[in-house]
Amino acid sequence: MTASRKALLAEGIVYSRVMGSDNHTNLIAYARDDDKTDNQRKRALARTRLGLDAFRRRIEEALAEEAARSPDGAWLILSNEHLQSRLTNLREKQRLKALLDTVAPEVDVYLYLRRQDKVAVSLYGTRLRSGSVTSMVPVLPDVAGGLPYFYDYHRICSEFAEVFGRDRLHVRVFDPLRLRERDVCIDFRDWIGLGPEAPLARPERLNESISIEAQYLLTHLNQAVPMFVNDKPNPLRLGVEKRLDRVAPGRGVVPPRAAAETFYAACAPVNAALFRDFEVEGGGFEEGFDQYPSDPAPAPIDPEALAQVAARLYRDLARDHAALKARLAGKD
């Protein structure tokens, strides 16, 4: 959507800039309760140098201006995966709807749901790249006290349906084998009715995961060089997580098969209620577990591979430093 803004606007479709240049993280910074904070809100407040109340007013004004500049009858598309995970009660979703109601008479919610154990494995890597201080194990969450909100798909759908209307909630199973042309971008394009003639640019696909050695390195870097200091982005961080995406792609740590099956079994009642109470396109989740190792012992970290990751990371940093130094010298 970011790469296609101009072409989409010519078709009467606005991909918001106010809510974020790429990913619309301002939706989360705006809608979460006052007593909650996370990386998205910290960045938003640090970037604007505003308190939360003033930030919300600025977002309301900017969204109204964006809507006023848009063609009559235009679609406004907003996209952020954290709408599922970080708006964890009705009040936050109602705050989001109240904001959108000021510019849109109708709001439809499109939600992809992936099998919970696969989400947990992906989330572990995402949390590391977001600066979370954690160890290499366990990857899967503890469900002894109940299923965390993030994996309770029935509750998530119920709350979105209550706030936005059940007929406005559209849900699909995320499974590459079931997606149109096995591509979520093409699938979403067709799902919302744009069709194959829509002028969408296709940027290069980003690495989906980093190697287990890169993850291990992050468990230590996140402690030594935290993402934020005094609620402000740490300038010493130097985008290390994005650099590792480039220099150390690969498969990260995964749980043993028995652990994945046990965790998924804890999700079974929630999933049964989800597929019973909501019309979910794509049917139920595929339930194979062959992608997990049968050996319960965690994979050992290879010191040589770890050293290679550190060396590639250093080289990436040094190259950027040298390029910046050359540019500054040229300006003199």
Side-chain angles (χ1 to χ4, degrees):
M1 293 293 179
T2 301
S4 307
R5 269 198 176 100
K6 290 184 179 179
L8 288 171
L9 185 59
E11 301 291 322
I13 300 168
V14 176
Y15 188 63
S16 177
R17 290 186 183 273
V18 167
M19 289 304 169
S21 58
D22 297 319
N23 198 356
H24 292 147
T25 55
N26 281 341
L27 291 169
I28 304 303
Y30 179 95
R32 294 200 83 183
D33 286 339
D34 295 6
D35 61 345
K36 296 179 181 177
T37 188
D38 56 24
N39 291 357
Q40 310 301 347
R41 180 169 280 177
K42 287 178 182 178
R43 286 197 182 93
L45 298 184
R47 182 176 62 250
T48 60
R49 299 182 181 179
L50 296 173
L52 181 56
D53 289 342
F55 169 77
R56 283 175 172 155
R57 288 194 296 271
R58 175 172 290 188
I59 288 295
E60 292 162 1
E61 294 165 0
L63 183 61
E65 291 173 2
E66 185 173 56
R69 294 193 304 267
S70 300
D72 291 341
W75 290 8
L76 174 65
I77 293 183
L78 303 166
S79 177
N80 183 265
E81 67 273 21
H82 302 307
L83 292 171
Q84 171 194 342
S85 60
R86 300 192 189 185
L87 301 188
T88 58
N89 58 52
L90 281 171
R91 181 176 54 252
E92 291 175 331
K93 294 178 180 66
Q94 288 164 345
R95 186 178 293 117
L96 172 65
K97 187 174 187 299
L99 171 66
L100 301 182
D101 281 347
T102 63
V103 297
E106 298 176 345
V107 179
D108 285 86
V109 178
Y110 289 82
L111 177 61
Y112 283 97
L113 294 176
R114 191 180 188 186
R115 205 176 81 183
Q116 286 97 330
D117 58 294
K118 297 180 180 180
V119 169
V121 174
S122 176
L123 178 62
Y124 173 80
T126 300
R127 289 178 61 231
L128 278 177
R129 290 197 294 272
S130 298
S132 177
V133 177
T134 185
S135 65
M136 289 296 285
V137 291
V139 176
L140 299 173
D142 182 7
V143 295
L147 198 65
Y149 176 89
F150 186 80
Y151 304 101
D152 190 342
Y153 293 167
H154 184 263
R155 180 181 172 188
I156 290 170
C157 288
S158 295
E159 289 185 353
F160 273 112
E162 181 173 342
V163 173
F164 289 90
R166 184 171 291 252
D167 61 328
R168 294 292 179 183
L169 177 65
H170 313 278
V171 186
R172 273 189 183 179
V173 166
F174 178 88
D175 182 341
L177 296 178
R178 304 185 200 180
L179 297 176
R180 183 69 61 88
E181 298 184 30
R182 299 191 177 187
D183 186 307
V184 70
C185 297
I186 292 174
D187 193 83
F188 178 69
R189 178 202 69 189
D190 293 351
W191 193 11
I192 64 175
L194 293 183
E197 71 282 357
L200 296 181
R202 292 305 307 272
E204 182 181 356
R205 187 165 185 158
L206 299 176
N207 292 325
E208 296 181 326
S209 63
I210 58 177
S211 69
I212 190 170
E213 291 81 16
Q215 288 183 336
Y216 182 79
L217 186 62
L218 270 180
T219 64
H220 292 272
L221 284 174
N222 288 346
Q223 297 181 60
V225 191
M227 186 79 75
F228 292 88
V229 176
N230 297 326
D231 287 340
K232 294 182 179 179
N234 185 352
L236 297 179
R237 185 75 179 187
L238 299 176
V240 65
E241 60 286 342
K242 293 181 180 179
R243 295 178 187 277
L244 286 172
D245 284 346
R246 293 198 299 268
V247 305
R251 188 185 189 195
V253 63
V254 293
R257 187 176 305 162
E261 291 174 337
T262 299
F263 173 68
Y264 183 65
C267 302
V270 163
N271 291 341
L274 169 74
F275 294 115
R276 181 193 66 221
D277 295 343
F278 293 92
E279 183 179 342
V280 180
E281 296 185 36
F285 295 119
E286 177 275 327
E287 297 191 341
F289 292 87
D290 291 343
Q291 69 270 36
Y292 298 106
S294 57
D295 187 354
I301 301 298
D302 180 354
E304 180 66 24
L306 178 61
Q308 290 177 6
V309 169
R312 290 196 296 268
L313 178 61
Y314 172 80
R315 184 176 57 193
D316 195 68
L317 283 163
R319 183 170 52 242
D320 282 358
H321 178 265
L324 177 58
K325 196 174 181 179
R327 286 200 301 271
L328 291 175
K331 289 181 180 180
D332 293 340

